[in-house]
Amino acid sequence: MSHSYADRLFRRLQGLFQIGRISTPPNDTGAVQTGQVTLNGTAIRDGVPIVQDYGFSAVLPVGSQAVVLNVSGDASNGVVIRSIH
């Protein structure tokens, strides 16, 4: 059974956002702060860019919930856009 374009688009839209938890202290050594995020309690993604109000004077606390935007619905291309702690 072949999937239509609309089916593929719907699946991409479903995967745009995920809620995860910051698992290790963020890394500030690069141009963009990155962190390790645990999604769905089991999937771990390392090196996820964190683009929000943290940086020079603050880091996202370990255990904080994070909203991850998966660019184009691609789970391997996520960015933390918001945190909840």
Side-chain angles (χ1 to χ4, degrees):
M1 181 168 144
S2 155
H3 291 288
S4 71
Y5 176 76
D7 290 336
R8 289 191 309 260
L9 179 61
F10 179 71
R11 294 208 191 294
R12 289 276 182 155
L13 289 173
Q14 281 184 311
L16 276 180
F17 294 97
Q18 290 180 297
I19 300 291
R21 196 167 291 281
I22 301 297
S23 356
T24 61
N27 180 354
D28 277 335
T29 59
V32 175
Q33 191 178 72
T34 60
Q36 185 180 75
V37 180
T38 302
L39 301 163
N40 302 325
T42 57
I44 297 174
R45 295 200 352 230
D46 200 17
V48 177
I50 300 172
V51 290
Q52 60 169 13
D53 331 13
Y54 287 92
F56 293 114
S57 63
V59 295
L60 194 56
V62 172
S64 298
Q65 288 186 324
V67 177
V68 178
L69 168 65
N70 295 315
V71 180
S72 297
D74 180 3
S76 66
N77 193 13
V79 177
V80 174
I81 58 169
R82 212 60 233 149
S83 68
I84 308 158
H85 67 281

